[in-house]
Structure formats: C-alpha cells, structure tokens
Amino acid sequence: MTDAAKPDASTAPGAFGTIPDKPALEGLEQVWDARWREAGTYHFDREAALAAGRSAIYSVDTPPPTASGSLHIGHVFSYTHTDIAARFQRMRGKHVFYPMGWDDNGLPTERRVQNYYGVRCDPSLPYQPDFVPPYEGGDNKSSRAADQKPISRRNFIELCARLTIEDEKQFEALWRDLGLSVDWKQTYRTIGDESLFVSQLAFLRNVERGEAYQALAPTLWDVTFRSAVAQAELEDRDQPGAFHTLSFHGDDGEVVIATTRPELIPACVALVAHPSDERYKPLFGKTVRTPVFGVEVPVLAHHLAEPDKGTGIAMVCTFGDITDVTWWRELDLPTRPIIGFDGRILSDPPEAIASDEGKAAYAQLAGKTVFSAKQAMVELLKASGDLLEDPKPITHPVKFYEKGDRPLEIVSTRQWYITNGARDPELAERLIELGKQIDWHPEFMRVRFENWVGGLSGDWLVSRQRFFGVPIPVWYPVDEQGETDFENPILPAREQLPVDPTIDTAPGYDESQRGKAGGFVGETDILDTWATSSLTPQIVGGWERDPELFEAVFPYDLRPQGQDIIRTWLFSTLLRAQLEDGVSPWSNAAISGFIVDPDRKKMSKSKGNVVTPADILRQHGSDAVRYWAASSRLGTDAAFDPQNPTQIKIGRRLAIKVLNAAKFILGFPEGESEVTEALDRSMLAQLAEVVADATTALEGYDHARALETTERFFWTFCDDYLELVKERAYSDGPGAGSAAAALRIALSTLLRLFAPFVPFATEEAWSWFQSGSVHTAAWPSADEVRTAAGDATPLVLTATSGVLVGIRGAKTSAKASQKAPVARAVVTAPEDELSAIEQAGHDIRAVGRIEVLDFAPGERLSVEVELADESVA
C-alpha cells in the first residue's frame, strides 16, 4: 500500500471521535487504559460467570511477582505470553478469571527494606509507635549491617509493608502500560489477611494430617540472612578451593585423606571408604585418631564413598556438605557441631576433644570465620607434621542460597517440614502421575518436573528465621522447669486465624504467662515464601472462604510461569493441591523461556545484565514490546539487546501499519454487503485459512505461530491486495462495492486476530468504525470468512500477487517509476494459475497502468512488460 491515491478519511466517524489525520501510537496506552478501566472491559462478571457454569470460565493462576525493587524485561516477556492467552479466551466468549498478586514477603523484601531505610530488625527491642526511619529513598546498598539502626520486629514489619505497597503501585502502573488485561479488582498480597488465613489454615491441616512436622536436624543455613534454606533454593557456584592432604593415625599406621575443609577436623566423627575398596577393607571396624586433636573415630564402609576421588577415603564431619548428612544419618554417627549460626567457629569445643593439647588447639580456632579458621588449622597441621603436602588449588562447585553471597553451612536446628515425596515413594509417584495429567506447553518441560521429583533428597523445609512473612501459627507450652515442650505444639482454632504467636496469646493462657514456667512461648519463625505462593490458587479462588467461587475456578485452566521455578512454585503448588484435594490445580502449564543478553547469558540481577522495561516501553511503545515477546515460543529463550532491539522495531512498524491500513480502508465508502469479485473472494479464502491456523495455534498455546501466520498474511494484504484493488474500490465502477465489503471484512478480522498481540493499536483502529471493544468482540470464525469467500480459492490472490511482483520488478529494472504507464504486458503461467490470474485482469491493468494485457500458457509464471514511449525518456 503506497500513499498514492489514498482517499480522505480524516473526517470518517468513529465511536470515540474522528479518525486522526496522522494516526500515531504515542499516548494510546494511557488513553485506552483509562477507557478500559472506566468501562470495566476486563472485569470478571462473577454473577454471569457462575450462571454460565464452569465450562464457560477460563481461570488463570497468575504468578505474583516479587514486590521488592523493580520488574525486569523478563517479567514483560513471560507476562505478555499469559495475557495473550487470556485475551484469546475472552474473545472466544469465556468469562476470564485473571487476577494479579504481589509476592511481598520473604528475604528479598527484608533486604530491600534494610537498604532503603537504613535499619535492621532486633526482636529484643520494644515497639516504637511513632518511629521514623533514619534514611528513606534510594538503594543505600553500601550500608553495612553495623551502620543500620536496630528496630523492633513490629517496626520492621511495618516498614516492609509500607515499602511493598509503594512498589506494588509502580508495578501495577507498568502492567497497565503493558496492556495486561488483568481484572484489577481481583488482586491479592501474599502478606494480606486472606493470604495469611489461607496459608495458616492449610499449614494447620498439614499438621493435623501428619504432613507437616517439626524436627531437630542438620539444616542448610545462610549465615548472612541467619535463616534455613530449602533444597529448591540452592544453586551451585564454582569457587576456588584447595585439597589438603593430611594424616590420621591408627594402630596399623597412618591413613591419608584429602579434604577441602581442614577446619572441620574438630567436627570429624568417622572416616568412610567404599565397601569394595581393597585398600581400606582391613580398617573397617577399627578406629583412627584425628590429627592435632587426637579424637578416636571409626573407619566405616558406605557405598557413596568414591574410590577414585582424592585418596579414596573421606572424612565425615558434622557437617561439611549434604553427603556428610547422609553418612551421619545412615551410619548412625554422633553429632559434633562446631559452626554457629553466624558462620563462626563455636567458642566451646565438642566434648570428644578431651586432651589439654586438643583444647588448646581448638581455642586457636574459636570465634574465627570459616575462612580464618581454615588458615589457622593449616598452620596447626604444619606444626604437628600432619599436613603431608602443600595445598593443591582447585575450583569446585559450592552450595549457595540463590539470593545469598556466602557459601551455605550446615547447622543443627529445629525446623518445620512438609512431606514432599522425598521419603514417601507413593506420594512421589502420585505427584508424577498428576504431572502427566497436565498439558505442558512445551511438553518437554514435564521432564524437568519429573527430574526434580525424582531427585528430592529431603522433605520441604518451610520454616524461616526471618520477620516479614506469614507467622507459623503455633505456640509451645513451657513446663514447670522452664523448658519448652516442642513435642506438643498448641494450635489455634480456625476462627482465630490469622494469628501472630509473637503478639497473640496462646489459647487457654493469658499474656502474663508468656515465657514463664507453666506458661507458653510463641513460635517466632515464619513460613517460607513458597509455602504461601504454593497456595495462590486457593488464595485468589476463595478457598474455605467463598466455596461457590472456588468451585467455579478450581482446578484452574492455566498456570503460566518461568522454567526456573518449576522446582519451586509449580512443584510446591501441585504438592499442596495433592495433599489437600488429591488433584492437580490446573489443566495446562505454559512455561516461558529465559531472556538472555546478546552473549546468550541469562539475565539476572547477580550478573548485572538486567534491563528494566520502563524506558523500553516509553521509547518504543507497548505494542512493539509485546510483539517482541510474542514472537518467541513458550520454552524458548529470547535474546534481548537494548542497544539494538530489532524485533521491537519490527513490532512498532507493524502496529503503525495496522493504524494506517485501517485508516486507508475506512476511507472507502461502505459498499454492498456481498463480495462478488474473484480477487476479493480469493483474498477472503486466504484469510479464512489464516483464521483457522491462528485459532488452532492459540488453542495449543503457540502464540508465536499465530502471530507469524497472521502477520505474514497482513503484509501480503497491504503490499499486494490493497494495491491491486484500491483503484477499483475508489472508483464508481463495477466491483467497487465488492472491494469495499471485502476490505471491511478483512479489517474487522485482522484487528481481532492481532488484538491479543498489539492491543492498543487494534483497539484504536476498532474504535474508528465499531462500537464496544475489540477485546470483547467475538474471535473471528474461519467459517464466516469462508462464507463470504464463497467457493473461491486462495490461488487467485497468490498468482495475481506474483504478477504484481513481476510488473514492479520490470519497472524497477527499467529504472522507471511504478506509476509509469505500460503499453503492453504479457503474463505467462501454467493453465491453472493463468485461469486464476485472468479473473483479476481488470485489477492488474489498473494497478500496473497497462494498456494491453495478454495471457499465454507456459511452464512457470513470468511477466514481460513493454513500457509506453513516454516512460522510457
């Protein structure tokens, strides 16, 4: 479509005014967000939905983004995928239940509050009703803990709540700019009263059924956050280290081991070798003495020992790594912890170190960090002669908390757990079976879920030693000797929920008995953030609060999310639904890929390559950014270069073209309702195929294919069909009404096909000639378009487009204007193509400015052009 011969559409009527002289994308986000909000375009009509029944509802279990800091381009990427599905289903006539939540509890929020306000929590301090933080605004990331003002737990929680509310407002504004068709009346906070109630009630039911339990056990511990860490939150990071070769002493001589953690020799409880290792078989059942400390430890056999690693025999300490925990548990070994919650060596040595020399050596380690203790231990080993070689530098994977910056330690703590199948094969098998009942998009993501279930090594640790989150709703009795009875927790009644045991009084007691002999103490731990997020279907669906709504939306139709949280959010949600209802919480799981930088590295805050989306949206427009996101299939990683966002620029060009094409088409007077011309009907026949293909793709959650199919036709439609028919459509001659009718049908259809992808441009164009919103209009039907096309085939348009390309090419080769008149043109083609082309002869002559048009049979399509004399000058 060129600018030539465009009809004047500047005064054409629209539902909200006139068509602008120069359609533009700028400002459409604000205009249409306000109108959608006012009209309730995306409102979930509960009454109508319940009356229509479950089959008429499409429910989405939307990911609640972490409300601390800022959203990044990866959020825009994956949430656009979700919105496309929601918009498509809404246009299919479904009542779309599409809520939005905010994940505002957990460690990231606490860290942000500490840096933002310059404070840290000290639970021993009293509450200050009129507390004013010492600092506000900015990141203050350089603030050390020692420089932060200590405040009470309650004051700290209030600051967390204040800051997350402000962050959530900014997030909502960005989501609105992006055009998410969320029902903003259906929002929730993971620290809100409804979330507190649901999380605590579900946990109490887990306790009552024996699925949640408390245990004193080795626990992965982050010394920075002073909190336990679950298996799902771990990541391996390569770190520098060294193998230290040293000797243990036995009656039969020395035993040589190699270890990366010599500082744990005081915690050593055994040496372990593989049962089949001939080198150490004679030692099994005997004891050896630890270097420096002289503690007798047994030499034992276990299949996890690796004969080809180091010297083939390993030191078992409590605890150096997860394998130590396995050996400790399966070999029934004693516990000799030496690392405290702060990551430093405990002041008192284990009881097994009984000699004066051993105690004196331990005193040189006490109070030191693990790093300093290692250096000190090496010096002690050198002095004793037990370090046999200089340390050999290595690089090896070390366990970290995914949001932490120091290696994890393993300490013994009392924690709450929820059974997850790690020790229950029947539960694990049931979870695998539920996973098979879900339609995964793409299907291969199911394997990642199954691998996670198969690789679980322990039950789900759900307690956290933090402050801002859902309190674990239990108290403990204190006996007459002042000892806490952890074995008989006091549980609240359902009617009391939600509760905070640090503030609320235990049932059957009064507040004066808190912390006293014969009284009670409240649990100070909170639930892991995933223990709340795993209940998003229940929280937003009204579980145990609104049974009518819950029955209407659960199980949900869609769980959209990123691939990196299959092991956390998807697994834990499936687990909680199985424990409570024995079902999968959704029928479909749509898994988005990662956003990677131009070097194909995953974008993450820790790598410093995250791009925030606000400037990108402002610079290029939301439709353009959505187009970029929609161009990638589910499960596929997408590269993003903010310096050269090629795909975004293509999307902007498409959105502008949609507006310009709509203006061009609406400038023609409305014609007869029937489409009669072969070329017009052929275009509609092609369009019908596009509708069918795009619909099938979106039904299968393949939004990228639906967009690609629609876009490919759209550019052919603009570049070829509009050029071919514009002369006829603008004339008063025969066929003008047919062209105008076909153009209107195509415009209406294309705007609806594009609506889930570029919602602002399509809504703007729709308003120029239709009432209501394109986003609540019916999704186009291939059969309806086929009816308008009659018995036509796509061949007429396809072949005629080939002729147009030939004419353009001939004029370009002759260095003539495309408006140059042609004295004679000869089209050669196979008979079936030739017959189709002849039906569009009138339009070919008009667009090519051809005086004589002849046709001849041939093996392939070709066009010979003889320019008029005045064109050759």
Side-chain angles (χ1 to χ4, degrees):
M1 183 180 69
T2 66
D3 291 334
K6 282 188 179 179
D8 183 9
S10 61
T11 59
F16 295 102
T18 58
I19 302 174
D21 290 331
K22 293 183 178 180
L25 299 175
E26 285 69 25
L28 292 185
E29 292 89 350
Q30 290 71 36
V31 169
W32 285 109
D33 175 62
R35 290 178 179 170
W36 291 334
R37 190 184 314 198
E38 181 182 357
T41 303
Y42 308 124
H43 173 60
F44 176 70
D45 188 335
R46 174 194 172 110
E47 187 174 335
L50 294 180
R54 179 64 183 91
S55 62
I57 297 172
Y58 184 81
S59 51
V60 184
D61 181 19
T62 322
T66 301
S68 59
S70 60
L71 296 169
H72 56 77
I73 199 69
H75 288 105
V76 168
F77 181 71
S78 58
Y79 280 75
T80 297
H81 297 166
T82 308
D83 188 59
I84 290 168
R87 288 183 177 277
F88 170 65
Q89 294 292 341
R90 188 180 290 110
M91 295 177 73
R92 294 293 293 274
K94 293 292 184 75
H95 295 277
V96 175
F97 184 71
Y98 185 15
M100 178 60 69
W102 310 115
D103 188 3
D104 37 23
N105 64 347
L107 295 173
T109 297
E110 291 190 21
R111 173 178 272 184
R112 174 160 160 75
V113 167
Q114 288 171 344
N115 293 333
Y116 191 87
Y117 291 114
V119 298
R120 59 183 173 86
C121 182
D122 183 346
S124 67
L125 295 176
Y127 174 65
Q128 298 180 45
D130 300 316
F131 174 74
V132 177
Y135 182 88
E136 184 165 354
D139 289 331
N140 195 25
K141 290 180 179 177
S142 62
S143 178
R144 297 181 301 121
D147 298 330
Q148 294 170 343
K149 181 178 179 62
I151 61 175
S152 74
R153 180 186 183 118
R154 185 174 169 188
N155 286 123
F156 187 76
I157 290 173
E158 286 178 353
L159 289 180
C160 290
R162 182 200 303 182
L163 189 57
T164 53
I165 288 172
E166 292 305 311
D167 285 342
E168 287 157 17
K169 291 178 182 177
Q170 296 179 29
F171 286 12
E172 180 177 336
L174 189 142
W175 284 150
R176 287 183 179 276
D177 280 348
L178 184 63
L180 295 192
S181 60
V182 165
D183 180 357
W184 290 105
K185 296 180 180 178
Q186 303 286 344
T187 59
Y188 65 93
R189 308 176 69 226
T190 57
I191 201 66
D193 285 345
E194 291 182 345
S195 298
L196 287 168
F197 172 84
V198 169
S199 297
Q200 291 188 341
L201 179 60
F203 175 79
L204 291 173
R205 289 193 174 179
N206 292 140
V207 172
E208 291 164 356
R209 293 192 297 259
E211 298 154 357
Y213 62 92
Q214 197 177 30
L216 181 63
T219 305
L220 289 161
W221 186 264
D222 187 288
V223 298
T224 302
F225 290 109
R226 303 283 182 94
S227 181
V229 175
Q231 181 183 354
E233 299 168 309
L234 302 181
E235 66 180 32
D236 285 332
R237 300 179 193 170
D238 287 337
Q239 299 289 300
F243 266 128
H244 301 76
T245 303
L246 47 93
S247 60
F248 281 64
H249 307 283
D251 294 340
D252 298 326
E254 70 177 14
V255 178
V256 179
I257 71 158
T259 179
T260 61
R261 301 205 64 178
E263 74 277 11
L264 292 181
I265 292 174
C268 181
V269 292
L271 297 186
V272 171
H274 195 275
S276 64
D277 195 326
E278 296 293 338
R279 294 172 294 176
Y280 301 109
K281 277 185 177 181
L283 294 177
F284 293 153
K286 297 182 179 181
T287 64
V288 294
R289 293 179 299 279
T290 62
V292 178
F293 302 100
V295 175
E296 295 279 345
V297 296
V299 181
L300 304 172
H302 195 280
H303 68 278
L304 288 181
E306 301 176 68
D308 58 349
K309 182 176 181 180
T311 61
I313 188 165
M315 179 174 70
V316 182
C317 303
T318 54
F319 295 94
D321 58 23
I322 294 175
T323 307
D324 277 347
V325 177
T326 302
W327 282 329
W328 165 81
R329 182 179 291 117
E330 295 186 4
L331 296 173
D332 195 22
L333 297 171
T335 303
R336 293 173 190 154
I338 67 166
I339 298 178
F341 295 154
D342 59 356
R344 294 178 179 271
I345 305 299
L346 296 173
S347 57
D348 296 326
E351 291 183 4
I353 299 177
S355 69
D356 291 340
E357 295 84 355
K359 291 178 180 178
Y362 185 87
Q364 297 184 50
L365 309 179
K368 287 182 165 58
T369 64
V370 168
F371 178 78
S372 297
K374 180 177 294 184
Q375 294 177 313
M377 191 68 231
V378 168
E379 295 304 315
L380 288 169
L381 289 166
K382 287 180 180 178
S384 69
D386 292 316
L387 186 67
L388 304 180
E389 301 176 4
D390 289 336
K392 296 178 180 178
I394 62 168
T395 298
H396 61 146
V398 177
K399 299 290 183 191
F400 278 74
Y401 169 48
E402 61 187 358
K403 294 181 173 62
D405 49 21
R406 294 173 67 182
L408 293 172
E409 297 294 346
I410 299 178
V411 299
S412 292
T413 61
R414 184 174 294 277
Q415 303 286 346
W416 281 96
Y417 299 84
I418 291 179
T419 182
N420 64 359
R423 297 186 175 91
D424 183 346
E426 289 186 11
L427 175 57
E429 185 58 36
R430 174 60 179 159
L431 293 171
I432 294 290
E433 180 58 34
L434 288 178
K436 292 177 179 178
Q437 295 174 16
I438 298 168
D439 288 330
W440 295 75
H441 311 281
E443 170 62 24
F444 69 80
M445 288 293 178
R446 178 171 59 85
V447 177
R448 300 192 182 187
F449 165 76
E450 292 178 351
N451 289 343
W452 174 254
V453 176
L456 289 168
S457 61
D459 283 334
W460 179 15
L461 190 156
V462 295
S463 49
R464 293 292 181 273
Q465 291 66 54
R466 300 301 297 174
F467 315 109
F468 187 57
V470 176
I472 295 179
V474 300
W475 299 263
Y476 307 100
V478 179
D479 65 21
E480 296 302 329
Q481 287 72 45
E483 297 293 326
T484 301
D485 181 5
F486 291 105
E487 301 303 320
N488 295 287
I490 303 165
L491 307 181
R494 172 196 170 109
E495 294 72 27
Q496 294 175 268
L497 302 179
V499 298
D500 184 346
T502 67
I503 299 173
D504 299 317
T505 305
Y509 296 84
D510 61 58
E511 187 60 25
S512 66
Q513 295 175 280
R514 184 184 293 273
K516 303 290 180 62
F520 73 96
V521 292
E523 175 64 79
T524 58
D525 288 356
I526 62 172
L527 288 169
D528 169 26
T529 186
W530 294 112
T532 298
S533 296
S534 62
L535 296 165
T536 51
Q538 289 82 0
I539 291 170
V540 76
W543 177 71
E544 290 295 319
R545 293 163 290 124
D546 188 343
E548 189 177 44
L549 176 63
F550 191 66
E551 185 178 351
V553 300
F554 184 91
Y556 287 65
D557 293 279
L558 177 64
R559 155 57 71 86
Q561 63 166 72
Q563 58 182 305
D564 54 328
I565 52 174
I566 289 175
R567 73 189 195 282
T568 48
W569 192 39
L570 189 145
F571 169 75
S572 60
T573 311
L574 191 65
L575 171 67
R576 301 302 286 279
Q578 159 60 26
L579 295 178
E580 189 62 41
D581 296 304
V583 300
S584 169
W586 345 268
S587 53
N588 292 276
I591 313 296
S592 296
F594 291 131
I595 297 301
V596 295
D597 64 16
D599 295 326
R600 304 302 296 182
K601 295 177 182 176
K602 178 190 172 186
M603 287 191 176
S604 68
K605 291 181 180 178
S606 63
K607 292 185 174 67
N609 59 354
V610 166
V611 176
T612 54
D615 290 342
I616 301 293
L617 290 169
R618 192 177 304 113
Q619 180 180 355
H620 300 282
S622 297
D623 279 348
V625 176
R626 288 175 64 101
Y627 172 89
W628 158 75
S631 298
S632 291
R633 285 178 167 81
L634 289 172
T636 302
D637 296 345
F640 182 75
D641 182 359
Q643 304 305 317
N644 186 27
T646 304
Q647 202 71 4
I648 289 178
K649 293 177 180 178
I650 294 172
R652 181 174 176 83
R653 177 172 170 251
L654 171 68
I656 292 172
K657 191 71 171 182
V658 166
L659 294 176
N660 288 333
K663 177 182 177 180
F664 183 83
I665 292 169
L666 294 174
F668 297 116
E670 287 195 68
E672 60 202 47
S673 59
E674 187 176 359
V675 180
T676 56
E677 297 295 310
L679 184 62
D680 304 333
R681 299 176 77 180
S682 179
M683 179 274 292
L684 293 179
Q686 273 197 26
L687 181 56
E689 291 185 3
V690 170
V691 172
D693 290 346
T695 303
T696 299
L698 287 171
E699 287 173 340
Y701 293 89
D702 191 349
H703 51 254
R705 184 163 69 87
L707 175 58
E708 180 185 11
T709 299
T710 304
E711 185 185 9
R712 187 188 309 115
F713 173 85
F714 175 71
W715 288 113
T716 299
F717 173 81
C718 292
D719 294 343
D720 296 346
Y721 176 74
L722 285 179
E723 285 296 305
L724 285 164
V725 303
K726 68 182 181 183
E727 300 291 343
R728 171 161 53 90
Y730 196 42
S731 71
D732 294 328
S738 174
L743 287 168
R744 291 274 177 147
I745 293 171
L747 177 61
S748 171
T749 303
L750 285 167
L751 290 179
R752 285 177 285 161
L753 288 173
F754 277 129
F757 305 98
V758 286
F760 296 103
T762 52
E763 186 75 299
E764 173 73 7
W766 186 264
S767 73
W768 296 340
F769 72 113
Q770 299 279 8
S771 60
S773 171
V774 69
H775 303 299
T776 54
W779 183 255
S781 161
D783 287 341
E784 289 181 7
V785 181
R786 287 192 189 103
T787 298
D791 58 358
T793 70
L795 182 59
V796 174
L797 177 58
T798 301
T800 305
S801 295
V803 173
L804 181 59
V805 170
I807 294 170
R808 288 170 175 164
K811 290 185 177 181
T812 300
S813 297
K815 298 182 179 180
S817 165
Q818 292 298 323
K819 298 179 183 179
V822 173
R824 182 171 181 266
V826 179
V827 176
T828 302
E831 289 188 7
D832 57 339
E833 287 187 52
L834 202 63
S835 175
I837 294 167
E838 287 177 341
Q839 298 179 62
H842 175 77
D843 292 318
I844 294 172
R845 282 191 291 272
V847 70
R849 299 175 181 250
I850 300 169
E851 183 176 345
V852 177
L853 177 63
D854 292 329
F855 301 95
E859 293 184 359
R860 59 183 179 84
L861 176 64
S862 64
V863 181
E864 294 181 11
V865 171
E866 179 185 331
L867 295 174
D869 291 341
E870 63 267 27
S871 303
V872 184

